[in-house]
Amino acid sequence: MSEPKKTEKSRMGNGAVVAMCCSFVIGMGAMAYAAVPLYEMFCKVTGYGGTTQRVEQASDVVLDQTIKVRFDANVAPGLPWTFTPVQREIELKIGETVQVFYKARNNASRPTTGQATFNVTPEATGAYFNKVQCFCFTETTLKPGEEMEMPVVFFVDPEIVKPVETKGVHTITLSYTFFPREASKPVAAAADVKTDDANNL
């Protein structure tokens, strides 16, 4: 009598393991889909990972001191894009507002949508790297073969020369990574789909 009980317990244990594995896979898939918006919210709240500051106007103070800014571009797996900075590096005065461009191209034979996250290094400089305009966290859809230039307008806050951890920094790297995103359906299109489904019932 003991062996059937052991077999039944073993089956129950295996079922629990399978259920846990399935839940883990589903959870990881959901987290991957939500990674970009969650990262956006987390960084805005905490300033984690060299997250830059978003401002509405340019600096009114320009120092007679320069700093170099390098530009890095990455594409996550699953997005068939070529993504590069138009300029690899510039040198500007601290407090000076400048505009640079990144370039993206869809290499697929169908429209694809991407969404970018960003950070700067050294991480301590994130609080002083102010962006007036950028394409980050915005869903961008490109047609097959379409190429687009994306502007970034920014300045380095003059306050960067005061703290011990940043006053000796001479080079900052701004890095963007584009992730694949599903294009959002227009409300009207979604309503049409529901209507068609109702008519087919």
Side-chain angles (χ1 to χ4, degrees):
M1 294 294 291
S2 59
E3 286 190 4
K5 287 184 178 180
K6 286 182 179 180
T7 302
E8 184 177 351
K9 288 182 178 180
S10 177
R11 287 177 181 173
M12 292 176 63
N14 291 340
V17 171
V18 171
M20 289 175 62
C21 289
C22 290
S23 299
F24 177 78
V25 171
I26 293 171
M28 289 299 291
M31 287 179 65
Y33 180 79
V36 173
L38 287 175
Y39 179 84
E40 174 188 8
M41 181 175 63
F42 177 68
C43 289
K44 282 182 177 178
V45 171
T46 65
Y48 172 79
T51 303
T52 65
Q53 302 300 304
R54 188 68 180 266
V55 294
E56 298 298 327
Q57 62 184 21
S59 172
D60 56 0
V61 176
V62 178
L63 303 182
D64 189 22
Q65 183 176 338
T66 61
I67 191 167
K68 289 182 180 179
V69 178
R70 293 174 179 166
F71 305 103
D72 178 54
N74 306 281
V75 179
L79 185 64
W81 285 16
T82 301
F83 177 53
T84 58
V86 174
Q87 295 171 275
R88 289 290 179 181
E89 179 182 291
I90 64 170
E91 187 169 348
L92 66 152
K93 289 186 175 182
I94 296 176
E96 176 186 3
T97 301
V98 298
Q99 177 175 264
V100 298
F101 291 89
Y102 279 77
K103 185 184 295 184
R105 177 183 172 84
N106 178 16
N107 300 316
S109 58
R110 57 182 176 80
T112 53
T113 301
Q115 188 172 4
T117 62
F118 64 91
N119 72 329
V120 297
T121 52
E123 292 187 3
T125 63
Y128 305 97
F129 196 99
N130 296 308
K131 290 192 295 183
V132 181
Q133 178 186 352
C134 79
F135 53 86
C136 48
F137 302 125
T138 300
E139 289 190 7
T140 302
T141 300
L142 298 179
K143 297 176 183 178
E146 182 181 3
E147 189 172 277
M148 177 185 294
E149 284 196 344
M150 304 174 181
V152 181
V153 180
F154 70 91
F155 66 90
V156 178
D157 192 329
E159 292 294 315
I160 196 172
V161 301
K162 296 180 180 179
V164 174
E165 64 271 21
T166 57
K167 67 179 182 180
V169 174
H170 302 292
T171 302
I172 298 175
T173 300
L174 173 63
S175 180
Y176 283 93
T177 301
F178 257 106
F179 292 87
R181 295 287 291 170
E182 290 186 10
S184 302
K185 292 183 178 179
V187 176
D192 290 341
V193 171
K194 290 183 179 179
T195 302
D196 291 340
D197 291 342
N199 292 334
N200 290 331
L201 293 177

